mmCIF file of all heavy atoms in Angstrom:
data_model
loop_
_atom_site.group_PDB
_atom_site.id
_atom_site.type_symbol
_atom_site.label_atom_id
_atom_site.label_comp_id
_atom_site.label_asym_id
_atom_site.label_seq_id
_atom_site.Cartn_x
_atom_site.Cartn_y
_atom_site.Cartn_z
ATOM 1 N N GLY B 176 20.070 -15.976 0.857
ATOM 2 C CA GLY B 176 19.257 -17.096 1.344
ATOM 3 C C GLY B 176 17.857 -17.152 0.753
ATOM 4 O O GLY B 176 17.130 -18.107 0.998
ATOM 5 N N TYR B 177 17.471 -16.139 -0.013
ATOM 6 C CA TYR B 177 16.114 -16.121 -0.570
ATOM 7 C C TYR B 177 16.150 -16.440 -2.059
ATOM 8 O O TYR B 177 16.970 -15.880 -2.790
ATOM 9 C CB TYR B 177 15.461 -14.751 -0.367
ATOM 10 C CG TYR B 177 15.377 -14.330 1.066
ATOM 11 C CD1 TYR B 177 16.135 -13.258 1.534
ATOM 12 C CD2 TYR B 177 14.549 -15.008 1.965
ATOM 13 C CE1 TYR B 177 16.072 -12.871 2.855
ATOM 14 C CE2 TYR B 177 14.481 -14.629 3.284
ATOM 15 C CZ TYR B 177 15.249 -13.558 3.737
ATOM 16 O OH TYR B 177 15.185 -13.184 5.040
ATOM 17 N N ASP B 178 15.243 -17.290 -2.477
ATOM 18 C CA ASP B 178 15.136 -17.610 -3.893
ATOM 19 C C ASP B 178 14.644 -16.367 -4.649
ATOM 20 O O ASP B 178 13.673 -15.735 -4.232
ATOM 21 C CB ASP B 178 14.156 -18.767 -4.082
ATOM 22 C CG ASP B 178 14.179 -19.292 -5.498
ATOM 23 O OD1 ASP B 178 13.609 -18.639 -6.402
ATOM 24 O OD2 ASP B 178 14.788 -20.351 -5.711
ATOM 25 N N VAL B 179 15.304 -16.050 -5.754
ATOM 26 C CA VAL B 179 14.957 -14.804 -6.455
ATOM 27 C C VAL B 179 13.599 -14.878 -7.146
ATOM 28 O O VAL B 179 13.051 -13.862 -7.553
ATOM 29 C CB VAL B 179 16.029 -14.369 -7.489
ATOM 30 C CG1 VAL B 179 17.336 -14.035 -6.801
ATOM 31 C CG2 VAL B 179 16.230 -15.425 -8.554
ATOM 32 N N VAL B 180 13.046 -16.086 -7.284
ATOM 33 C CA VAL B 180 11.720 -16.211 -7.890
ATOM 34 C C VAL B 180 10.655 -16.438 -6.820
ATOM 35 O O VAL B 180 9.702 -15.676 -6.709
ATOM 36 C CB VAL B 180 11.680 -17.353 -8.927
ATOM 37 C CG1 VAL B 180 10.279 -17.504 -9.503
ATOM 38 C CG2 VAL B 180 12.687 -17.098 -10.031
ATOM 39 N N ASP B 181 10.862 -17.472 -5.996
ATOM 40 C CA ASP B 181 9.827 -17.830 -5.017
ATOM 41 C C ASP B 181 9.733 -16.836 -3.872
ATOM 42 O O ASP B 181 8.681 -16.659 -3.266
ATOM 43 C CB ASP B 181 10.109 -19.223 -4.445
ATOM 44 C CG ASP B 181 10.081 -20.275 -5.547
ATOM 45 O OD1 ASP B 181 9.430 -20.011 -6.570
ATOM 46 O OD2 ASP B 181 10.711 -21.330 -5.384
ATOM 47 N N ASP B 182 10.851 -16.230 -3.551
ATOM 48 C CA ASP B 182 10.881 -15.300 -2.423
ATOM 49 C C ASP B 182 11.391 -13.956 -2.914
ATOM 50 O O ASP B 182 12.212 -13.300 -2.266
ATOM 51 C CB ASP B 182 11.811 -15.862 -1.344
ATOM 52 C CG ASP B 182 11.187 -15.750 0.030
ATOM 53 O OD1 ASP B 182 10.233 -14.952 0.173
ATOM 54 O OD2 ASP B 182 11.651 -16.444 0.939
ATOM 55 N N SER B 183 10.868 -13.564 -4.068
ATOM 56 C CA SER B 183 11.419 -12.433 -4.806
ATOM 57 C C SER B 183 11.473 -11.136 -3.989
ATOM 58 O O SER B 183 12.478 -10.422 -4.014
ATOM 59 C CB SER B 183 10.588 -12.218 -6.064
ATOM 60 O OG SER B 183 11.050 -11.106 -6.760
ATOM 61 N N LEU B 184 10.402 -10.844 -3.253
ATOM 62 C CA LEU B 184 10.372 -9.565 -2.532
ATOM 63 C C LEU B 184 11.461 -9.504 -1.483
ATOM 64 O O LEU B 184 12.158 -8.499 -1.345
ATOM 65 C CB LEU B 184 9.006 -9.343 -1.883
ATOM 66 C CG LEU B 184 7.863 -8.997 -2.840
ATOM 67 C CD1 LEU B 184 6.585 -8.783 -2.064
ATOM 68 C CD2 LEU B 184 8.185 -7.771 -3.669
ATOM 69 N N ARG B 185 11.643 -10.610 -0.744
ATOM 70 C CA ARG B 185 12.679 -10.600 0.295
ATOM 71 C C ARG B 185 14.081 -10.591 -0.316
ATOM 72 O O ARG B 185 14.991 -9.965 0.202
ATOM 73 C CB ARG B 185 12.500 -11.793 1.231
ATOM 74 C CG ARG B 185 11.772 -11.356 2.491
ATOM 75 C CD ARG B 185 11.604 -12.493 3.454
ATOM 76 N NE ARG B 185 10.419 -13.266 3.082
ATOM 77 C CZ ARG B 185 9.922 -14.238 3.830
ATOM 78 N NH1 ARG B 185 10.520 -14.588 4.958
ATOM 79 N NH2 ARG B 185 8.843 -14.876 3.455
ATOM 80 N N ALA B 186 14.224 -11.302 -1.446
ATOM 81 C CA ALA B 186 15.519 -11.287 -2.130
ATOM 82 C C ALA B 186 15.842 -9.865 -2.593
ATOM 83 O O ALA B 186 16.956 -9.368 -2.403
ATOM 84 C CB ALA B 186 15.505 -12.242 -3.318
ATOM 85 N N ARG B 187 14.835 -9.197 -3.157
ATOM 86 C CA ARG B 187 15.076 -7.844 -3.662
ATOM 87 C C ARG B 187 15.288 -6.847 -2.527
ATOM 88 O O ARG B 187 15.965 -5.841 -2.702
ATOM 89 C CB ARG B 187 13.911 -7.415 -4.564
ATOM 90 C CG ARG B 187 13.996 -8.056 -5.942
ATOM 91 C CD ARG B 187 12.937 -7.528 -6.864
ATOM 92 N NE ARG B 187 11.673 -8.222 -6.692
ATOM 93 C CZ ARG B 187 10.514 -7.786 -7.201
ATOM 94 N NH1 ARG B 187 10.479 -6.662 -7.879
ATOM 95 N NH2 ARG B 187 9.410 -8.465 -7.027
ATOM 96 N N GLN B 188 14.689 -7.148 -1.358
ATOM 97 C CA GLN B 188 14.914 -6.279 -0.200
ATOM 98 C C GLN B 188 16.384 -6.323 0.227
ATOM 99 O O GLN B 188 16.907 -5.386 0.819
ATOM 100 C CB GLN B 188 13.997 -6.729 0.947
ATOM 101 C CG GLN B 188 14.056 -5.879 2.204
ATOM 102 C CD GLN B 188 13.428 -4.494 2.006
ATOM 103 O OE1 GLN B 188 12.267 -4.353 1.686
ATOM 104 N NE2 GLN B 188 14.234 -3.465 2.202
ATOM 105 N N ALA B 189 17.050 -7.431 -0.092
ATOM 106 C CA ALA B 189 18.434 -7.633 0.378
ATOM 107 C C ALA B 189 19.476 -7.106 -0.593
ATOM 108 O O ALA B 189 20.665 -7.147 -0.293
ATOM 109 C CB ALA B 189 18.669 -9.125 0.636
ATOM 110 N N ILE B 190 19.041 -6.620 -1.758
ATOM 111 C CA ILE B 190 20.049 -6.230 -2.754
ATOM 112 C C ILE B 190 20.041 -4.733 -3.061
ATOM 113 O O ILE B 190 19.064 -4.036 -2.828
ATOM 114 C CB ILE B 190 19.839 -6.972 -4.101
ATOM 115 C CG1 ILE B 190 18.488 -6.591 -4.727
ATOM 116 C CG2 ILE B 190 19.976 -8.462 -3.914
ATOM 117 C CD1 ILE B 190 18.454 -6.739 -6.216
ATOM 118 N N GLY B 191 21.162 -4.292 -3.575
ATOM 119 C CA GLY B 191 21.244 -2.984 -4.214
ATOM 120 C C GLY B 191 21.701 -3.264 -5.636
ATOM 121 O O GLY B 191 22.604 -4.065 -5.843
ATOM 122 N N TYR B 192 21.067 -2.636 -6.592
ATOM 123 C CA TYR B 192 21.323 -2.982 -7.992
ATOM 124 C C TYR B 192 21.728 -1.744 -8.772
ATOM 125 O O TYR B 192 21.108 -0.689 -8.649
ATOM 126 C CB TYR B 192 20.049 -3.599 -8.572
ATOM 127 C CG TYR B 192 20.158 -4.149 -9.974
ATOM 128 C CD1 TYR B 192 20.504 -5.476 -10.175
ATOM 129 C CD2 TYR B 192 19.888 -3.351 -11.073
ATOM 130 C CE1 TYR B 192 20.585 -6.002 -11.455
ATOM 131 C CE2 TYR B 192 19.974 -3.866 -12.363
ATOM 132 C CZ TYR B 192 20.313 -5.199 -12.547
ATOM 133 O OH TYR B 192 20.381 -5.705 -13.808
ATOM 134 N N PHE B 193 22.753 -1.917 -9.540
ATOM 135 C CA PHE B 193 23.199 -0.827 -10.414
ATOM 136 C C PHE B 193 23.105 -1.328 -11.849
ATOM 137 O O PHE B 193 23.830 -2.234 -12.230
ATOM 138 C CB PHE B 193 24.636 -0.443 -10.060
ATOM 139 C CG PHE B 193 25.209 0.622 -10.941
ATOM 140 C CD1 PHE B 193 25.058 1.962 -10.626
ATOM 141 C CD2 PHE B 193 25.898 0.286 -12.096
ATOM 142 C CE1 PHE B 193 25.580 2.948 -11.449
ATOM 143 C CE2 PHE B 193 26.421 1.269 -12.927
ATOM 144 C CZ PHE B 193 26.262 2.599 -12.595
ATOM 145 N N PRO B 194 22.174 -0.760 -12.646
ATOM 146 C CA PRO B 194 21.975 -1.300 -13.986
ATOM 147 C C PRO B 194 23.045 -0.844 -14.964
ATOM 148 O O PRO B 194 23.639 0.219 -14.784
ATOM 149 C CB PRO B 194 20.614 -0.747 -14.387
ATOM 150 C CG PRO B 194 20.461 0.500 -13.596
ATOM 151 C CD PRO B 194 21.269 0.360 -12.341
ATOM 152 N N GLU B 195 23.239 -1.664 -15.978
ATOM 153 C CA GLU B 195 24.231 -1.350 -17.000
ATOM 154 C C GLU B 195 23.905 -0.014 -17.649
ATOM 155 O O GLU B 195 24.787 0.805 -17.890
ATOM 156 C CB GLU B 195 24.204 -2.464 -18.051
ATOM 157 C CG GLU B 195 25.217 -2.276 -19.152
ATOM 158 C CD GLU B 195 25.094 -3.358 -20.203
ATOM 159 O OE1 GLU B 195 24.054 -4.039 -20.251
ATOM 160 O OE2 GLU B 195 26.043 -3.509 -20.978
ATOM 161 N N ARG B 196 22.606 0.157 -17.913
ATOM 162 C CA ARG B 196 22.177 1.434 -18.486
ATOM 163 C C ARG B 196 21.631 2.267 -17.326
ATOM 164 O O ARG B 196 20.566 1.982 -16.812
ATOM 165 C CB ARG B 196 21.075 1.117 -19.497
ATOM 166 C CG ARG B 196 20.654 2.292 -20.316
ATOM 167 C CD ARG B 196 19.746 1.798 -21.425
ATOM 168 N NE ARG B 196 18.838 2.849 -21.818
ATOM 169 C CZ ARG B 196 17.614 2.640 -22.285
ATOM 170 N NH1 ARG B 196 17.159 1.411 -22.404
ATOM 171 N NH2 ARG B 196 16.857 3.648 -22.631
ATOM 172 N N VAL B 197 22.408 3.268 -16.909
ATOM 173 C CA VAL B 197 22.014 4.041 -15.737
ATOM 174 C C VAL B 197 20.890 4.975 -16.117
ATOM 175 O O VAL B 197 21.111 6.071 -16.596
ATOM 176 C CB VAL B 197 23.190 4.879 -15.192
ATOM 177 C CG1 VAL B 197 22.862 5.355 -13.792
ATOM 178 C CG2 VAL B 197 24.444 4.086 -15.195
ATOM 179 N N ALA B 198 19.663 4.510 -15.947
ATOM 180 C CA ALA B 198 18.505 5.315 -16.299
ATOM 181 C C ALA B 198 17.817 5.746 -15.016
ATOM 182 O O ALA B 198 17.299 4.924 -14.279
ATOM 183 C CB ALA B 198 17.565 4.506 -17.178
ATOM 184 N N LEU B 199 17.871 7.031 -14.735
ATOM 185 C CA LEU B 199 17.257 7.567 -13.528
ATOM 186 C C LEU B 199 16.163 8.542 -13.953
ATOM 187 O O LEU B 199 16.128 8.977 -15.101
ATOM 188 C CB LEU B 199 18.308 8.301 -12.687
ATOM 189 C CG LEU B 199 19.609 7.532 -12.440
ATOM 190 C CD1 LEU B 199 20.658 8.447 -11.823
ATOM 191 C CD2 LEU B 199 19.373 6.336 -11.550
ATOM 192 N N TYR B 200 15.303 8.893 -13.006
ATOM 193 C CA TYR B 200 14.242 9.846 -13.343
ATOM 194 C C TYR B 200 14.854 11.238 -13.440
ATOM 195 O O TYR B 200 15.192 11.855 -12.437
ATOM 196 C CB TYR B 200 13.142 9.802 -12.296
ATOM 197 C CG TYR B 200 12.439 8.477 -12.246
ATOM 198 C CD1 TYR B 200 12.414 7.714 -11.096
ATOM 199 C CD2 TYR B 200 11.808 7.976 -13.381
ATOM 200 C CE1 TYR B 200 11.773 6.485 -11.055
ATOM 201 C CE2 TYR B 200 11.164 6.758 -13.354
ATOM 202 C CZ TYR B 200 11.145 6.014 -12.194
ATOM 203 O OH TYR B 200 10.521 4.806 -12.162
ATOM 204 N N THR B 201 14.975 11.713 -14.672
ATOM 205 C CA THR B 201 15.696 12.961 -14.908
ATOM 206 C C THR B 201 14.936 14.184 -14.417
ATOM 207 O O THR B 201 15.511 15.250 -14.282
ATOM 208 C CB THR B 201 15.981 13.133 -16.409
ATOM 209 O OG1 THR B 201 14.752 12.907 -17.111
ATOM 210 C CG2 THR B 201 17.000 12.136 -16.883
ATOM 211 N N ASP B 202 13.638 14.017 -14.151
ATOM 212 C CA ASP B 202 12.847 15.180 -13.739
ATOM 213 C C ASP B 202 12.858 15.382 -12.225
ATOM 214 O O ASP B 202 12.126 16.223 -11.710
ATOM 215 C CB ASP B 202 11.410 15.057 -14.264
ATOM 216 C CG ASP B 202 10.787 13.715 -13.901
ATOM 217 O OD1 ASP B 202 11.312 13.036 -13.008
ATOM 218 O OD2 ASP B 202 9.783 13.334 -14.531
ATOM 219 N N MET B 203 13.669 14.583 -11.509
ATOM 220 C CA MET B 203 13.734 14.751 -10.056
ATOM 221 C C MET B 203 15.116 15.269 -9.670
ATOM 222 O O MET B 203 16.095 15.041 -10.387
ATOM 223 C CB MET B 203 13.519 13.402 -9.366
ATOM 224 C CG MET B 203 12.130 12.832 -9.513
ATOM 225 S SD MET B 203 12.049 11.165 -8.818
ATOM 226 C CE MET B 203 10.838 11.395 -7.540
ATOM 227 N N THR B 204 15.178 15.956 -8.519
ATOM 228 C CA THR B 204 16.495 16.333 -8.024
ATOM 229 C C THR B 204 17.115 15.100 -7.373
ATOM 230 O O THR B 204 16.428 14.117 -7.089
ATOM 231 C CB THR B 204 16.415 17.451 -6.972
ATOM 232 O OG1 THR B 204 15.774 16.926 -5.810
ATOM 233 C CG2 THR B 204 15.646 18.651 -7.477
ATOM 234 N N VAL B 205 18.431 15.171 -7.157
ATOM 235 C CA VAL B 205 19.147 14.026 -6.584
ATOM 236 C C VAL B 205 18.519 13.623 -5.249
ATOM 237 O O VAL B 205 18.237 12.445 -5.004
ATOM 238 C CB VAL B 205 20.637 14.370 -6.400
ATOM 239 C CG1 VAL B 205 21.357 13.257 -5.652
ATOM 240 C CG2 VAL B 205 21.288 14.613 -7.755
ATOM 241 N N ARG B 206 18.242 14.621 -4.419
ATOM 242 C CA ARG B 206 17.702 14.327 -3.088
ATOM 243 C C ARG B 206 16.279 13.749 -3.160
ATOM 244 O O ARG B 206 15.968 12.764 -2.497
ATOM 245 C CB ARG B 206 17.716 15.590 -2.213
ATOM 246 C CG ARG B 206 17.553 15.313 -0.737
ATOM 247 C CD ARG B 206 17.632 16.600 0.054
ATOM 248 N NE ARG B 206 18.968 17.154 0.044
ATOM 249 C CZ ARG B 206 19.925 16.779 0.892
ATOM 250 N NH1 ARG B 206 19.680 15.878 1.800
ATOM 251 N NH2 ARG B 206 21.120 17.319 0.828
ATOM 252 N N GLU B 207 15.460 14.337 -4.018
ATOM 253 C CA GLU B 207 14.100 13.816 -4.212
ATOM 254 C C GLU B 207 14.146 12.364 -4.675
ATOM 255 O O GLU B 207 13.397 11.511 -4.196
ATOM 256 C CB GLU B 207 13.387 14.608 -5.320
ATOM 257 C CG GLU B 207 12.662 15.838 -4.878
ATOM 258 C CD GLU B 207 12.107 16.608 -6.076
ATOM 259 O OE1 GLU B 207 12.541 16.388 -7.236
ATOM 260 O OE2 GLU B 207 11.252 17.432 -5.843
ATOM 261 N N TYR B 208 15.047 12.131 -5.633
ATOM 262 C CA TYR B 208 15.151 10.797 -6.201
ATOM 263 C C TYR B 208 15.554 9.782 -5.133
ATOM 264 O O TYR B 208 14.959 8.710 -5.022
ATOM 265 C CB TYR B 208 16.148 10.794 -7.358
ATOM 266 C CG TYR B 208 16.366 9.429 -7.931
ATOM 267 C CD1 TYR B 208 15.349 8.797 -8.645
ATOM 268 C CD2 TYR B 208 17.561 8.749 -7.744
ATOM 269 C CE1 TYR B 208 15.520 7.527 -9.157
ATOM 270 C CE2 TYR B 208 17.740 7.475 -8.255
ATOM 271 C CZ TYR B 208 16.722 6.868 -8.958
ATOM 272 O OH TYR B 208 16.890 5.604 -9.448
#
Side-chain angles (χ1 to χ4, degrees):
Chain B
Y177 302 112
D178 190 284
V179 296
V180 178
D181 299 336
D182 225 342
S183 177
L184 287 181
R185 261 181 276 188
R187 283 186 276 167
Q188 183 70 60
I190 63 154
Y192 186 91
F193 177 89
E195 182 183 17
R196 188 170 153 210
V197 195
L199 311 170
Y200 296 121
T201 49
D202 52 17
M203 292 174 119
T204 67
V205 173
R206 196 178 291 275
E207 272 175 343
Y208 176 69

